[in-house]
DNA sequence: TTAGGGTTAG
């Protein structure tokens, strides 16, 4: 069966893509059906490992949970407990088990409309790196009507990027009626990671000029990576000015990003300027990455004696604790 | 609640 792309998911007429297309079941039923019937690679494996973690969750083992004899309040408590557990699993990177718990909630007929952890659950699907599964959870939350929340849409956007579904992600972003800083950062970083560096920089510019949203350090970091990758000194310098103006030029990640950008663009003088203006700061001095960026930048630009000088300076300043990683003694 | 990180080597 052909799977329709979720391009027009804001329309009430388009609930039925993918999993739910031509499917008369309710979303929870449809998801259970799909998951039970799925052949490998299976979304959830009901292995012995599952029973181990299940033992920690009383409500999953309680037969009374099967929907009968439960008051509404106790059902809500179960939904809350399940949500917290899902959150924990996702934080631990245990995405499959997090999804399993949600599937159990559906099986037991818990009122998932009351579930308050959809961003977390959606994020778990990103860990599967499977665009088909991403579309399934998309259809599911769409039908539940929780996609009005920018947190949920942002999470879904992140899932599409993680799955490498660039078109889906971009089109989803373009159709978002409400965007926040995280939405912008997600798309800028997504474009950068997918190799569309100029697209990422255009998005950065559009964010400021067309939408009056002020980029934070996260957006600047992605944009800097894009500048380095395409060796665009013009954009890099512009970005440097922006970072200074925003007074975030002492951020350690941005400092190393700026030095790296200048070095990759062959502008050794400006890399030195950034490095020297910050290296006396106590917090910066102990950061081995900044020294490494500087030394490797010198080497890649053919400034070998400078590389040795900075290396010795680093040792003299008491950064010798990182020496064992460096010297093949 | 959601996004998000820098270097090198191989």
């Amino acid at each position: 069966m052909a799977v329709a792309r979720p391009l027009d998911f804001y329309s009430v007429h388009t609930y039925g893509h993918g999993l739910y297309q031509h499917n008369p079941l309710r979303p929870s039923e449809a998801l259970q059906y799909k998951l039970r019937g799925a052949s490998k690679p299976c979304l959830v494996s009901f292995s012995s490992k599952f029973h181990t973690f299940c033992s920690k969750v009383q409500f999953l083992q309680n037969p009374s949970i099967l929907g009968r004899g439960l008051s509404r309040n106790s059902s809500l408590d179960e939904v809350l407990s399940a949500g917290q557990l899902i959150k924990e699993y996702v934080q631990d990177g245990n995405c499959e088990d997090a999804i399993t718990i949600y599937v159990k909630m559906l099986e037991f007929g818990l009122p998932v409309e009351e579930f308050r952890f959809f961003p977390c659950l959606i994020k778990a699907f990103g860990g599967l790196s499977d665009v088909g599964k991403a579309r399934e959870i998309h259809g599911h939350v769409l039908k539940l009507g929780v996609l009005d929340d920018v947190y949920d849409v942002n999470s879904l956007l992140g899932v599409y990027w993680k799955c490498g579904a660039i078109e889906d992600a971009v089109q989803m972003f373009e159709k978002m009626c409400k965007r926040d800083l995280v939405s912008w950062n997600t798309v800028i970083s997504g474009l950068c990671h997918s190799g569309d560096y100029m697209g990422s920089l255009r998005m950065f510019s559009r964010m400021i000029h067309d939408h009056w949203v002020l980029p934070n350090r996260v957006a600047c970091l992605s944009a800097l990576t894009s500048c380095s990758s395409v060796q665009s000194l013009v954009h890099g310098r512009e970005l440097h000015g922006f970072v200074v103006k925003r007074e975030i030029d002492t951020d350690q990640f941005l400092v190393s990003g700026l030095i790296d950008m200048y070095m990759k663009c062959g502008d050794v003088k400006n890399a030195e300027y950034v490095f020297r203006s910050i290296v006396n700061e106590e917090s910066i001095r102990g950061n081995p990455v900044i020294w490494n960026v500087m030394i490797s930048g010198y080497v890649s630009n053919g400034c070998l004696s400078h590389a040795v000088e900075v290396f010795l300076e680093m040792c003299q300043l008491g950064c010798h604790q990182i020496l064992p990683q460096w010297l093949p003694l």
Side-chain angles (χ1 to χ4, degrees):
Chain A
M1 181 178 71
V3 176
R5 284 177 173 275
L7 304 185
D8 44 355
F9 54 88
Y10 282 104
S11 159
V12 290
H13 302 296
T14 57
Y15 280 167
H17 71 265
L19 171 61
Y20 310 113
Q21 201 165 36
H22 312 303
N23 195 331
L25 299 174
R26 289 189 295 112
S28 58
E29 291 168 336
L31 185 60
Q32 289 174 48
Y33 170 82
K34 174 76 179 180
L35 298 180
R36 283 201 213 104
S39 54
K40 284 191 175 180
C42 186
L43 177 64
V44 180
S45 65
F46 289 90
S47 59
S48 57
K49 191 175 153 200
F50 170 70
H51 294 291
T52 310
F53 85 78
C54 244
S55 65
K56 298 176 191 166
V57 194
Q58 289 304 311
F59 73 90
L60 288 180
Q61 298 176 315
N62 182 355
S64 71
I65 199 81
L66 292 171
R68 298 177 204 94
L70 262 185
S71 71
R72 177 162 179 77
N73 280 346
S74 56
S75 286
L76 293 181
D77 285 346
E78 307 298 357
V79 171
L80 183 66
S81 309
Q84 279 161 348
L85 199 65
I86 286 172
K87 186 180 164 191
E88 273 175 38
Y89 276 122
V90 174
Q91 280 170 349
D92 291 346
N94 193 349
C95 298
E96 291 206 352
D97 286 345
I99 294 167
T100 303
I101 292 171
Y102 186 74
V103 172
K104 280 286 175 193
M105 289 171 66
L106 295 173
E107 285 176 356
F108 292 147
L110 292 181
V112 289
E113 315 80 59
E114 305 296 335
F115 188 65
R116 291 289 171 266
F117 295 84
F118 278 111
C120 236
L121 175 74
I122 294 168
K123 190 178 174 183
F125 278 78
L128 303 180
S129 301
D130 180 336
V131 68
K133 300 301 177 196
R135 288 175 183 154
E136 281 171 27
I137 188 63
H138 186 171
H140 180 69
V141 292
L142 182 65
K143 197 147 190 178
L144 283 177
V146 299
L147 268 188
D148 295 336
D149 189 325
V150 72
Y151 283 75
D152 296 316
V153 187
N154 284 344
S155 296
L156 202 48
L157 195 57
V159 170
Y160 278 128
W161 283 116
K162 284 199 179 89
C163 296
I166 300 166
E167 258 182 56
D168 293 60
V170 169
Q171 287 179 4
M172 183 171 186
F173 176 78
E174 294 301 344
K175 294 201 174 203
M176 284 175 78
C177 46
K178 185 179 165 194
R179 301 182 187 117
D180 65 5
L181 195 53
V182 173
S183 323
W184 286 99
N185 290 346
T186 305
V187 76
I188 290 168
S189 133
L191 288 167
C192 177
H193 284 136
S194 66
D196 184 1
Y197 304 114
M198 288 312 293
S200 155
L201 291 173
R202 277 193 295 272
M203 197 59 84
F204 185 88
S205 168
R206 186 179 148 199
M207 174 184 184
I208 303 170
H209 298 117
D210 297 351
H211 295 266
W212 304 89
V213 179
L214 208 52
N216 65 356
R217 58 186 293 280
V218 175
C220 291
L221 273 168
S222 293
L224 261 181
T225 304
S226 293
C227 290
S228 302
S229 304
V230 291
Q231 298 183 317
S232 172
L233 194 52
V234 173
H235 291 103
R237 281 183 178 151
E238 205 178 337
L239 198 53
H240 187 184
F242 181 82
V243 164
V244 172
K245 201 171 169 185
R246 288 276 282 128
E247 298 179 338
I248 48 177
D249 52 327
T250 51
D251 179 283
Q252 298 205 20
F253 284 90
L254 286 174
V255 168
S256 59
L258 282 166
I259 296 172
D260 180 55
M261 180 275 295
Y262 279 124
M263 285 298 197
K264 291 235 166 77
C265 294
D267 188 346
V268 176
K269 289 290 161 209
N270 267 315
E272 283 172 338
Y273 171 77
V274 174
F275 179 70
R276 289 296 160 201
S277 63
I278 203 80
V279 76
N280 288 327
E281 298 282 336
E282 194 64 38
S283 57
I284 297 284
R285 199 184 302 173
N287 182 337
V289 176
I290 288 173
W291 291 92
N292 288 359
V293 172
M294 200 62 201
I295 293 166
S296 65
Y298 271 137
V299 172
S300 57
N301 279 283
C303 312
L304 304 183
S305 56
H306 285 89
V308 174
E309 281 167 21
V310 170
F311 174 72
L312 293 174
E313 183 186 346
M314 177 185 75
C315 298
Q316 283 163 3
L317 283 171
C319 301
H320 54 277
Q321 58 267 42
I322 60 170
L323 268 176
Q325 301 169 21
W326 279 72
L327 296 175
L329 293 175

